[in-house]
Amino acid sequence: MPVQVLITGIAARDKQAPRSYVLASTRRLTWLAAAALLWAGIIFSKLVSLQVLHHKEYARLARQQQELKVQIPAPRGPIFDRLGHPLAMSMPSESVFVNPLRLPDMGVASEILARILSLDAADLHNRIRWAYEHQRGFLWIKRKISRTEAEQLRSLHLEWIDFQTDSDRHYPNGALAAHVLGSVDHDERGNAGIEMSLDGELRGHAGEELMLTDVRRRGIDSHLATQAHAGMPLTLTIDSRIQYAAERELAKGVQAQHARSGSLIVMNPYNGEILALASYPSFDPNEPPKPREEASRRFDLAVSVPFEPGSVFKVVTLAAALETTSLNPESPINCNNGVLRLPGRVIHEAHRGFGVMPMHEVLERSSNIGAIQIGFRVGPQNMYEYVRRFGFGSSTGVGLPAESAGLFRKLNRWGKTSLASISMGQEVSTTSIQLARACAAIANGGLLVKPRLLLKNGDQVVPASAPKRILKPETAITMRQMMEGVVISPHGTGHKNARLEGYTSGGKTGTAQIFDIRTHHYTHQYNASFMGFAPVTNPALVIVVTINGTTGSAGYGAGAAAPVFKAVATEALRVLDVPKDLPDAAPDRKEPPSVDANDLAIADLGSSEPNVMEELAAQNAGPATDTASPKVPNFRGKTMRAVVEESSATGMPVLLEGSGIARFQVPSAGSVLREGERIRVEFAR
Amino acid sequence: MATLATYFRKDEAVFYSEEAAAVPVRRPVSRAADPYRLRTLPNEDVYFFCKRIDNSRIQKQKDPRSVQQCWSAIGAFALLAVLLAGALAPTVWGTFAGYQLQALKQERQHLLDERSALEVDEATLVSPARLEKLAREQRLLQPAPGQVFHLDPHADGSLALNLHK
């Protein structure tokens, strides 16, 4: 089939074109080529500029656009108890912030955020407006929000809501071991307890990775810029079961006595491991400190707050006597029938006088004069030496912040009656942990151990410090037997409340009047304490209980602190699975009528020496003054009627004793009367 | 095929197609002499004509070499395509793997966060205070001293009846 083909042809004009036309075409072509060359040259030069001259800058800008810096979280190290139960742990949380300058509508934004985050919308609106007016490009809306809140906010897909990943510290057991653990601030820096003292180990160091992203900011590739280092997990010596029992029983004991506060330590006497350390009142470290919260709730009373120990200190006096004198438990001690005259002062027995009795009974009955007589036999030099040996006056190094060293004056600053005072636990201030260490030295055979709270740092077991021998083993054994007598002897002060069922135990009660720094006088409130151990033959634990602010005869160490010791020791021994060394039902000994639980170390001795607590307070915080409280008037020389009238007029309560003319008053004239305190006025003819 | 020339010279194209052989080529009229006419348009001197070609008698000669060349070309292009795909595949695969990797990393972090939250929940649930409260509600008693026996497991993991072993 023939095909019709359209054939094009060009007239042979070119052949006939004039020379000028050819020249014009050539010129045009030349210009075109030149333009193309120029264009290519410009492009090439631009390429050289982009790829060679400004390569680094553009590469940086490209990276900025394509790469995203992503923080690699490094959570704070968890804290476990000795059984591996978590006491503190960190969990990632998110915080919400906005750029107030980019908000489409402040009112709507406030409403949305306030509704989901349970905030006050008006307050939030004001905050956003303030930030906007002050040209702030960043505003925290709420930090550490819950997972539900974060999910709700994310589901809104609002581009002006930004999130930052944070870490939130959780204490799953609430207030358990709060004083040991401490707490952290908003930035997870420790501000108390172990959290503070071992902050360096616990705190992690966040890493950073650079993520290559696509246009939708989805990650494609990433490489590590900085390695993240998670915080070191710490294992404490605390046993959460014993800790819980300790806190529970301490709270019961303080509440039963209507006392102010209390502390309790349970320690392994052989290696110094602290199994429980409790203070009452306590706090929940999950909650930040409230503005009007009582600051003392966060004080670690067992470690940071020293007190005059009272009769529990007699243990040190007797141990020194066994080592430095010829006295033995059966040596007769003359207790002067309850009255001892010293240069410038007369000392009375706390309750009733004793005659001559063996040394072990001095401890069992907690005779002040007996302890003083023994202290005289020891002498000031030896007494000073042994008190120091037991570690009083220096901090234990337990590893908690703000540990107090207590106060024990140097020998050259002792007064005429200092030896007498120290022998019965006055003129020296100690912390509960110092007492626990001293008691452990007796319980373990004479070795002074260093109390410790840290069992493992990561996977590394922290070795215990080498103990230091301070007593001969035979002395320690003798002391253990004498302290057992306090509990098992019918006239022992701890006989009624410190005996354990199924286990032998030893200990010492103590009651010390609380010195009021503001009024410069001893009050009628006591520090009731008990330090003891169980079982006697091979002690598994040492327990020191102190209850502060007890009153009346029920508030002595035997009545207030010993029952707490008994309850905690019973549970701790069961938990630790310590073999019993007594039949389950302890023989019910008859209470002889002579049992006297009064072990009060009489503090109001009229000593001219400055009080040790006053001196300690002056060292720590300077002299305390209270100008708001009323001053005590001088009642001396006045009749009872005049005293009553004056006290009624001033509103100061008085306690009148005797008849005749006012001869003596406590507090003395001119001192500040504390709230709730009464003026005791003695009248005589 | 419509070209610029055919557009302006339709009549001539038709004319030439029908009477190409018969009618002599008409030369374009010189317009230089007419000052009122517009200037020459481009390609004005290009013209088209149709030529009838009868190729019905033509038979295609067998050319095994061209077939071979054709297949060679196809093979070469295929090879090039494979090589190109091979060269680009790792990059593409890497990109997709990167997406997947990042997604998995996010999922891993999410799971770790979830595990942390569950650990906190677990620790809260087994806190001594809560356990004691539950025990009180169920009127459970503290075990007496010596009442609790801790059994040491056998080598096979069993615990039963090994109290005195």
Side-chain angles (χ1 to χ4, degrees), chain A residues 1-3 5-9 11 13 86 91-92 147 172-173 211 214 218-220 222 244 248 571 574 577 580, chain B residues 1 45-53 56 98-99 102 105 113 117 119-120 123-124 127-129 132 142-143 145 150:
Chain A
M1 185 182 172
V3 178
V5 179
L6 183 67
I7 298 173
T8 63
R13 193 177 69 174
M91 202 175 74
R147 275 184 292 168
N173 301 303
M211 186 190 287
D214 64 7
R218 289 180 306 181
I220 300 171
S222 62
Y244 177 71
R248 184 190 61 206
E571 188 143 349
R574 180 183 63 76
D577 208 18
K580 286 179 285 185
Chain B
M1 178 189 290
D45 49 353
V46 178
Y47 60 92
F48 300 89
F49 63 94
C50 293
K51 183 181 179 182
R52 192 181 298 271
I53 298 170
S56 58
Y99 280 126
Q102 292 305 323
K105 274 186 181 177
D113 294 351
E119 281 173 353
V120 171
T124 308
S127 67
E132 188 180 75
Q142 291 277 6
H150 297 277

Short mmCIF file of all heavy atoms in Angstrom, two decimals, chain A residues 1-3 5-9 11 13 86 91-92 147 172-173 211 214 218-220 222 244 248 571 574 577 580, chain B residues 1 45-53 56 98-99 102 105 113 117 119-120 123-124 127-129 132 142-143 145 150:
data_model
loop_
_atom_site.label_atom_id
_atom_site.label_comp_id
_atom_site.label_asym_id
_atom_site.label_seq_id
_atom_site.Cartn_x
_atom_site.Cartn_y
_atom_site.Cartn_z
N MET A 1 0.84 -1.18 0.00
CA MET A 1 0.00 0.00 0.00
C MET A 1 0.88 1.24 0.00
O MET A 1 1.80 1.36 0.80
CB MET A 1 -0.85 -0.01 1.29
CG MET A 1 -1.84 1.09 1.35
SD MET A 1 -2.73 1.01 2.91
CE MET A 1 -3.59 2.55 2.77
N PRO A 2 0.56 2.09 -0.94
CA PRO A 2 1.40 3.29 -0.98
C PRO A 2 1.18 4.16 0.25
O PRO A 2 0.10 4.22 0.81
CB PRO A 2 0.94 4.00 -2.24
CG PRO A 2 -0.36 3.41 -2.62
CD PRO A 2 -0.49 2.09 -1.97
N VAL A 3 2.20 4.73 0.71
CA VAL A 3 2.15 5.56 1.93
C VAL A 3 2.36 7.00 1.55
O VAL A 3 3.27 7.32 0.79
CB VAL A 3 3.23 5.10 2.91
CG1 VAL A 3 3.22 5.98 4.16
CG2 VAL A 3 3.04 3.65 3.28
N VAL A 5 3.63 10.33 2.48
CA VAL A 5 4.64 10.82 3.42
C VAL A 5 4.74 12.31 3.25
O VAL A 5 4.81 12.82 2.13
CB VAL A 5 6.00 10.15 3.14
CG1 VAL A 5 7.05 10.69 4.09
CG2 VAL A 5 5.89 8.66 3.23
N LEU A 6 4.69 12.98 4.35
CA LEU A 6 4.86 14.43 4.32
C LEU A 6 6.35 14.71 4.39
O LEU A 6 7.03 14.32 5.34
CB LEU A 6 4.15 15.05 5.53
CG LEU A 6 4.19 16.55 5.60
CD1 LEU A 6 3.35 17.14 4.46
CD2 LEU A 6 3.67 17.03 6.92
N ILE A 7 6.80 15.24 3.42
CA ILE A 7 8.23 15.49 3.34
C ILE A 7 8.47 16.98 3.50
O ILE A 7 7.80 17.80 2.90
CB ILE A 7 8.80 15.01 2.01
CG1 ILE A 7 8.59 13.50 1.89
CG2 ILE A 7 10.27 15.36 1.86
CD1 ILE A 7 8.97 12.96 0.55
N THR A 8 9.35 17.24 4.34
CA THR A 8 9.67 18.66 4.53
C THR A 8 10.88 19.01 3.69
O THR A 8 11.74 18.17 3.42
CB THR A 8 9.98 18.95 5.99
OG1 THR A 8 11.13 18.22 6.33
CG2 THR A 8 8.84 18.59 6.88
N GLY A 9 10.90 20.20 3.36
CA GLY A 9 12.04 20.67 2.61
C GLY A 9 12.36 22.08 2.98
O GLY A 9 11.50 22.82 3.46
N ALA A 11 13.91 25.47 1.65
CA ALA A 11 14.33 26.16 0.44
C ALA A 11 15.80 26.46 0.53
O ALA A 11 16.33 26.68 1.63
CB ALA A 11 13.55 27.44 0.27
N ARG A 13 17.48 28.63 0.66
CA ARG A 13 17.71 30.05 0.80
C ARG A 13 19.14 30.33 1.26
O ARG A 13 19.76 31.31 0.86
CB ARG A 13 16.73 30.63 1.80
CG ARG A 13 16.70 32.13 1.77
CD ARG A 13 15.67 32.65 2.72
NE ARG A 13 16.07 32.40 4.11
CZ ARG A 13 15.35 32.87 5.13
NH1 ARG A 13 14.23 33.56 4.92
NH2 ARG A 13 15.73 32.62 6.36
N PRO A 86 13.68 -2.35 96.72
CA PRO A 86 13.97 -0.95 96.37
C PRO A 86 13.44 0.02 97.42
O PRO A 86 12.31 -0.09 97.89
CB PRO A 86 13.25 -0.76 95.03
CG PRO A 86 12.27 -1.86 94.94
CD PRO A 86 12.73 -2.98 95.79
N MET A 91 12.23 7.24 87.88
CA MET A 91 11.39 6.85 86.76
C MET A 91 11.31 8.04 85.80
O MET A 91 11.17 9.17 86.26
CB MET A 91 10.00 6.50 87.27
CG MET A 91 9.22 5.62 86.36
SD MET A 91 7.67 5.17 87.12
CE MET A 91 6.73 6.64 86.98
N PRO A 92 11.42 7.76 84.49
CA PRO A 92 11.33 8.90 83.56
C PRO A 92 9.95 9.57 83.67
O PRO A 92 8.94 8.89 83.82
CB PRO A 92 11.51 8.28 82.19
CG PRO A 92 12.04 6.92 82.43
CD PRO A 92 11.60 6.51 83.78
N ARG A 147 1.86 10.04 83.67
CA ARG A 147 1.81 9.43 82.34
C ARG A 147 0.47 9.71 81.65
O ARG A 147 0.39 9.96 80.46
CB ARG A 147 2.03 7.92 82.45
CG ARG A 147 3.50 7.56 82.48
CD ARG A 147 3.68 6.08 82.50
NE ARG A 147 3.22 5.47 83.74
CZ ARG A 147 3.05 4.19 83.94
NH1 ARG A 147 3.30 3.35 82.98
NH2 ARG A 147 2.66 3.72 85.11
N PRO A 172 9.11 4.15 97.04
CA PRO A 172 7.89 3.32 97.02
C PRO A 172 7.37 2.98 98.40
O PRO A 172 6.18 2.67 98.54
CB PRO A 172 8.32 2.07 96.26
CG PRO A 172 9.80 2.06 96.30
CD PRO A 172 10.24 3.47 96.40
N ASN A 173 8.22 3.04 99.42
CA ASN A 173 7.75 2.70 100.76
C ASN A 173 7.34 3.92 101.56
O ASN A 173 7.19 3.83 102.78
CB ASN A 173 8.84 1.93 101.50
CG ASN A 173 9.23 0.67 100.79
OD1 ASN A 173 8.39 -0.18 100.54
ND2 ASN A 173 10.48 0.55 100.40
N MET A 211 20.74 12.58 65.85
CA MET A 211 19.85 11.78 65.04
C MET A 211 19.58 12.48 63.72
O MET A 211 19.21 13.65 63.70
CB MET A 211 18.53 11.55 65.79
CG MET A 211 17.59 10.60 65.07
SD MET A 211 15.99 10.58 65.82
CE MET A 211 16.35 9.66 67.28
N ASP A 214 14.27 13.03 58.85
CA ASP A 214 13.71 13.43 57.56
C ASP A 214 12.90 14.71 57.76
O ASP A 214 12.93 15.32 58.83
CB ASP A 214 12.87 12.29 56.97
CG ASP A 214 11.66 11.96 57.83
OD1 ASP A 214 11.41 12.70 58.81
OD2 ASP A 214 10.98 10.97 57.54
N ARG A 218 11.32 12.52 61.54
CA ARG A 218 11.40 11.12 61.94
C ARG A 218 12.85 10.68 61.89
O ARG A 218 13.56 11.03 60.94
CB ARG A 218 10.57 10.23 61.01
CG ARG A 218 9.08 10.41 61.17
CD ARG A 218 8.34 9.51 60.22
NE ARG A 218 8.79 9.70 58.85
CZ ARG A 218 8.31 9.06 57.80
NH1 ARG A 218 7.37 8.16 57.97
NH2 ARG A 218 8.76 9.29 56.59
N GLY A 219 13.28 9.94 62.86
CA GLY A 219 14.68 9.53 62.92
C GLY A 219 15.02 8.52 61.84
O GLY A 219 14.24 7.61 61.56
N ILE A 220 16.16 8.73 61.18
CA ILE A 220 16.62 7.78 60.17
C ILE A 220 17.86 7.05 60.69
O ILE A 220 17.95 5.85 60.63
CB ILE A 220 16.98 8.50 58.85
CG1 ILE A 220 15.75 9.21 58.31
CG2 ILE A 220 17.52 7.52 57.83
CD1 ILE A 220 16.05 10.12 57.13
N SER A 222 21.26 7.47 63.68
CA SER A 222 21.77 8.22 64.84
C SER A 222 23.16 7.74 65.18
O SER A 222 23.51 6.58 64.92
CB SER A 222 20.84 8.03 66.04
OG SER A 222 20.79 6.68 66.40
N TYR A 244 10.97 -1.19 109.35
CA TYR A 244 9.53 -0.92 109.50
C TYR A 244 9.09 -1.16 110.95
O TYR A 244 8.37 -0.34 111.53
CB TYR A 244 8.73 -1.80 108.55
CG TYR A 244 7.24 -1.61 108.71
CD1 TYR A 244 6.63 -0.45 108.29
CD2 TYR A 244 6.46 -2.58 109.33
CE1 TYR A 244 5.28 -0.24 108.46
CE2 TYR A 244 5.11 -2.39 109.51
CZ TYR A 244 4.52 -1.23 109.07
OH TYR A 244 3.19 -1.03 109.26
N ARG A 248 7.62 1.66 113.47
CA ARG A 248 6.28 1.44 114.04
C ARG A 248 6.32 1.49 115.56
O ARG A 248 5.53 2.19 116.19
CB ARG A 248 5.75 0.09 113.55
CG ARG A 248 4.33 -0.22 113.97
CD ARG A 248 4.00 -1.67 113.65
NE ARG A 248 4.89 -2.57 114.37
CZ ARG A 248 5.20 -3.80 113.95
NH1 ARG A 248 4.70 -4.28 112.84
NH2 ARG A 248 6.00 -4.57 114.66
N GLU A 571 11.04 -8.69 117.33
CA GLU A 571 10.75 -8.84 115.90
C GLU A 571 12.03 -8.98 115.08
O GLU A 571 12.10 -9.78 114.14
CB GLU A 571 9.94 -7.64 115.41
CG GLU A 571 9.44 -7.83 114.01
CD GLU A 571 8.05 -7.25 113.79
OE1 GLU A 571 7.39 -6.90 114.77
OE2 GLU A 571 7.65 -7.18 112.63
N ARG A 574 13.49 -12.45 115.40
CA ARG A 574 12.70 -13.40 114.61
C ARG A 574 13.01 -13.24 113.12
O ARG A 574 13.23 -14.23 112.41
CB ARG A 574 11.21 -13.16 114.85
CG ARG A 574 10.31 -14.09 114.06
CD ARG A 574 8.85 -13.77 114.27
NE ARG A 574 8.49 -12.46 113.79
CZ ARG A 574 8.33 -12.14 112.51
NH1 ARG A 574 8.52 -13.06 111.58
NH2 ARG A 574 7.99 -10.93 112.15
N ASP A 577 16.23 -14.62 112.21
CA ASP A 577 16.28 -16.06 112.45
C ASP A 577 17.39 -16.43 113.43
O ASP A 577 18.16 -17.38 113.21
CB ASP A 577 16.48 -16.80 111.12
CG ASP A 577 15.87 -18.19 111.18
OD1 ASP A 577 15.04 -18.42 112.07
OD2 ASP A 577 16.25 -19.04 110.35
N LYS A 580 17.06 -19.26 119.44
CA LYS A 580 16.68 -18.86 120.81
C LYS A 580 17.64 -19.48 121.82
O LYS A 580 18.16 -20.57 121.61
CB LYS A 580 15.25 -19.33 121.10
CG LYS A 580 14.22 -18.49 120.38
CD LYS A 580 12.85 -18.98 120.65
CE LYS A 580 12.57 -20.26 119.87
NZ LYS A 580 11.20 -20.72 120.01
N MET B 1 1.54 15.03 10.34
CA MET B 1 2.29 15.79 11.35
C MET B 1 2.05 17.27 11.09
O MET B 1 2.25 17.77 10.00
CB MET B 1 3.77 15.44 11.24
CG MET B 1 4.63 16.19 12.19
SD MET B 1 6.35 15.91 11.85
CE MET B 1 6.51 14.25 12.34
N ASP B 45 9.86 29.98 4.66
CA ASP B 45 10.35 29.37 3.43
C ASP B 45 10.47 27.86 3.55
O ASP B 45 11.07 27.20 2.72
CB ASP B 45 11.70 29.97 3.08
CG ASP B 45 12.65 30.00 4.26
OD1 ASP B 45 12.19 29.66 5.38
OD2 ASP B 45 13.83 30.36 4.10
N VAL B 46 9.91 27.34 4.60
CA VAL B 46 9.87 25.89 4.73
C VAL B 46 8.52 25.41 4.18
O VAL B 46 7.50 25.98 4.52
CB VAL B 46 10.02 25.47 6.20
CG1 VAL B 46 9.92 23.96 6.32
CG2 VAL B 46 11.33 25.96 6.74
N TYR B 47 8.56 24.43 3.40
CA TYR B 47 7.30 23.94 2.86
C TYR B 47 7.31 22.43 2.91
O TYR B 47 8.35 21.81 3.12
CB TYR B 47 7.11 24.44 1.44
CG TYR B 47 8.18 24.00 0.49
CD1 TYR B 47 8.04 22.82 -0.26
CD2 TYR B 47 9.35 24.75 0.32
CE1 TYR B 47 9.05 22.41 -1.12
CE2 TYR B 47 10.34 24.35 -0.53
CZ TYR B 47 10.19 23.17 -1.26
OH TYR B 47 11.17 22.75 -2.10
N PHE B 48 6.15 21.91 2.78
CA PHE B 48 5.96 20.46 2.90
C PHE B 48 5.29 19.92 1.65
O PHE B 48 4.54 20.64 0.99
CB PHE B 48 5.07 20.16 4.11
CG PHE B 48 5.64 20.64 5.41
CD1 PHE B 48 5.37 21.91 5.87
CD2 PHE B 48 6.46 19.81 6.14
CE1 PHE B 48 5.91 22.37 7.04
CE2 PHE B 48 6.98 20.25 7.32
CZ PHE B 48 6.73 21.52 7.79
N PHE B 49 5.62 18.76 1.41
CA PHE B 49 4.88 18.09 0.33
C PHE B 49 4.80 16.62 0.67
O PHE B 49 5.61 16.12 1.48
CB PHE B 49 5.54 18.32 -1.03
CG PHE B 49 6.92 17.75 -1.14
CD1 PHE B 49 7.13 16.47 -1.67
CD2 PHE B 49 8.03 18.48 -0.72
CE1 PHE B 49 8.41 15.96 -1.75
CE2 PHE B 49 9.29 17.96 -0.81
CZ PHE B 49 9.50 16.69 -1.34
N CYS B 50 3.84 15.96 0.15
CA CYS B 50 3.63 14.54 0.41
C CYS B 50 4.11 13.74 -0.79
O CYS B 50 3.82 14.08 -1.93
CB CYS B 50 2.16 14.26 0.63
SG CYS B 50 1.54 15.02 2.10
N LYS B 51 4.81 12.74 -0.44
CA LYS B 51 5.29 11.87 -1.52
C LYS B 51 4.75 10.47 -1.28
O LYS B 51 4.88 9.95 -0.17
CB LYS B 51 6.82 11.84 -1.48
CG LYS B 51 7.43 11.02 -2.58
CD LYS B 51 8.96 11.02 -2.46
CE LYS B 51 9.55 10.16 -3.57
NZ LYS B 51 11.02 10.10 -3.46
N ARG B 52 4.12 9.98 -2.23
CA ARG B 52 3.52 8.65 -2.11
C ARG B 52 4.61 7.61 -2.34
O ARG B 52 5.28 7.63 -3.37
CB ARG B 52 2.39 8.50 -3.13
CG ARG B 52 1.51 7.31 -2.93
CD ARG B 52 0.45 7.26 -4.01
NE ARG B 52 -0.42 8.41 -3.99
CZ ARG B 52 -1.52 8.45 -3.28
NH1 ARG B 52 -1.87 7.45 -2.53
NH2 ARG B 52 -2.28 9.53 -3.32
N ILE B 53 4.74 6.78 -1.41
CA ILE B 53 5.76 5.74 -1.52
C ILE B 53 5.07 4.40 -1.44
O ILE B 53 4.32 4.15 -0.49
CB ILE B 53 6.80 5.86 -0.39
CG1 ILE B 53 7.53 7.18 -0.47
CG2 ILE B 53 7.79 4.70 -0.43
CD1 ILE B 53 8.40 7.48 0.74
N SER B 56 5.00 -1.72 -0.64
CA SER B 56 4.31 -3.00 -0.42
C SER B 56 5.11 -4.17 -0.96
O SER B 56 4.94 -5.31 -0.54
CB SER B 56 2.92 -2.97 -1.06
OG SER B 56 3.05 -2.70 -2.44
N GLY B 98 16.88 2.30 59.00
CA GLY B 98 17.04 3.40 59.98
C GLY B 98 15.71 3.77 60.60
O GLY B 98 15.60 3.92 61.83
N TYR B 99 14.69 3.90 59.76
CA TYR B 99 13.35 4.20 60.30
C TYR B 99 12.93 3.12 61.29
O TYR B 99 12.44 3.41 62.40
CB TYR B 99 12.33 4.24 59.17
CG TYR B 99 12.32 5.53 58.38
CD1 TYR B 99 12.47 5.53 57.00
CD2 TYR B 99 12.14 6.74 59.02
CE1 TYR B 99 12.45 6.71 56.27
CE2 TYR B 99 12.11 7.93 58.30
CZ TYR B 99 12.27 7.91 56.93
OH TYR B 99 12.25 9.07 56.23
N GLN B 102 15.02 3.26 64.51
CA GLN B 102 14.62 4.34 65.42
C GLN B 102 13.28 4.01 66.09
O GLN B 102 13.08 4.30 67.27
CB GLN B 102 14.50 5.66 64.65
CG GLN B 102 15.83 6.20 64.14
CD GLN B 102 16.86 6.36 65.24
OE1 GLN B 102 16.53 6.72 66.36
NE2 GLN B 102 18.10 6.04 64.93
N LYS B 105 14.04 1.57 68.71
CA LYS B 105 14.68 2.23 69.85
C LYS B 105 13.65 2.95 70.72
O LYS B 105 13.70 2.89 71.95
CB LYS B 105 15.70 3.26 69.35
CG LYS B 105 17.07 2.70 69.08
CD LYS B 105 18.03 3.83 68.74
CE LYS B 105 19.41 3.30 68.42
NZ LYS B 105 20.32 4.38 68.04
N ASP B 113 10.76 2.40 80.17
CA ASP B 113 10.02 3.32 81.04
C ASP B 113 8.86 2.60 81.72
O ASP B 113 8.59 2.78 82.90
CB ASP B 113 9.48 4.50 80.23
CG ASP B 113 10.60 5.37 79.69
OD1 ASP B 113 11.75 5.14 80.09
OD2 ASP B 113 10.32 6.25 78.85
N ALA B 117 8.17 1.93 85.66
CA ALA B 117 6.90 2.27 86.33
C ALA B 117 6.33 1.04 87.04
O ALA B 117 5.83 1.14 88.17
CB ALA B 117 5.91 2.80 85.31
N GLU B 119 8.04 -1.48 88.17
CA GLU B 119 8.88 -1.79 89.34
C GLU B 119 8.50 -0.91 90.53
O GLU B 119 8.46 -1.37 91.67
CB GLU B 119 10.36 -1.59 88.99
CG GLU B 119 10.94 -2.75 88.21
CD GLU B 119 12.35 -2.49 87.72
OE1 GLU B 119 12.84 -1.35 87.86
OE2 GLU B 119 12.96 -3.42 87.17
N VAL B 120 8.23 0.36 90.22
CA VAL B 120 7.80 1.26 91.30
C VAL B 120 6.47 0.77 91.86
O VAL B 120 6.27 0.70 93.09
CB VAL B 120 7.67 2.72 90.78
CG1 VAL B 120 7.01 3.59 91.84
CG2 VAL B 120 9.03 3.27 90.43
N ALA B 123 7.07 -2.32 93.96
CA ALA B 123 7.69 -2.00 95.25
C ALA B 123 6.68 -1.34 96.19
O ALA B 123 6.70 -1.57 97.40
CB ALA B 123 8.88 -1.07 95.04
N THR B 124 5.80 -0.54 95.61
CA THR B 124 4.77 0.10 96.45
C THR B 124 3.80 -0.95 96.99
O THR B 124 3.39 -0.88 98.14
CB THR B 124 4.01 1.15 95.61
OG1 THR B 124 4.96 2.01 95.00
CG2 THR B 124 3.07 1.97 96.48
N SER B 127 5.29 -2.97 99.91
CA SER B 127 5.88 -2.21 101.02
C SER B 127 5.39 -2.78 102.35
O SER B 127 4.25 -3.25 102.45
CB SER B 127 5.51 -0.74 100.91
OG SER B 127 4.13 -0.58 101.11
N PRO B 128 6.25 -2.80 103.37
CA PRO B 128 5.86 -3.40 104.65
C PRO B 128 4.58 -2.82 105.23
O PRO B 128 3.76 -3.55 105.80
CB PRO B 128 7.05 -3.10 105.56
CG PRO B 128 8.20 -2.89 104.64
CD PRO B 128 7.64 -2.30 103.40
N ALA B 129 4.39 -1.52 105.05
CA ALA B 129 3.18 -0.89 105.62
C ALA B 129 1.93 -1.47 104.98
O ALA B 129 0.94 -1.78 105.66
CB ALA B 129 3.24 0.61 105.41
N GLU B 132 1.38 -5.11 106.04
CA GLU B 132 0.85 -5.23 107.40
C GLU B 132 -0.64 -4.88 107.44
O GLU B 132 -1.43 -5.52 108.13
CB GLU B 132 1.62 -4.33 108.36
CG GLU B 132 1.20 -4.60 109.80
CD GLU B 132 1.92 -3.74 110.80
OE1 GLU B 132 1.59 -2.56 110.91
OE2 GLU B 132 2.79 -4.27 111.48
N GLN B 142 1.51 -12.24 113.81
CA GLN B 142 2.96 -12.33 113.66
C GLN B 142 3.39 -13.74 114.06
O GLN B 142 2.91 -14.27 115.06
CB GLN B 142 3.64 -11.34 114.63
CG GLN B 142 3.43 -9.90 114.27
CD GLN B 142 4.41 -9.42 113.22
OE1 GLN B 142 5.17 -10.22 112.69
NE2 GLN B 142 4.36 -8.16 112.90
N PRO B 143 4.28 -14.34 113.30
CA PRO B 143 4.76 -15.66 113.72
C PRO B 143 5.58 -15.56 115.00
O PRO B 143 6.28 -14.57 115.21
CB PRO B 143 5.63 -16.12 112.55
CG PRO B 143 5.99 -14.88 111.82
CD PRO B 143 4.90 -13.90 112.06
N PRO B 145 8.56 -16.48 117.69
CA PRO B 145 9.97 -16.78 117.46
C PRO B 145 10.17 -18.29 117.26
O PRO B 145 9.64 -19.09 118.01
CB PRO B 145 10.66 -16.30 118.74
CG PRO B 145 9.75 -15.27 119.29
CD PRO B 145 8.36 -15.69 118.92
N HIS B 150 13.09 -21.81 107.51
CA HIS B 150 13.59 -21.50 106.18
C HIS B 150 14.13 -22.78 105.57
O HIS B 150 15.06 -23.39 106.11
CB HIS B 150 14.67 -20.43 106.24
CG HIS B 150 14.16 -19.14 106.78
ND1 HIS B 150 13.51 -18.22 106.00
CD2 HIS B 150 14.15 -18.63 108.04
CE1 HIS B 150 13.15 -17.18 106.73
NE2 HIS B 150 13.52 -17.42 107.98
#
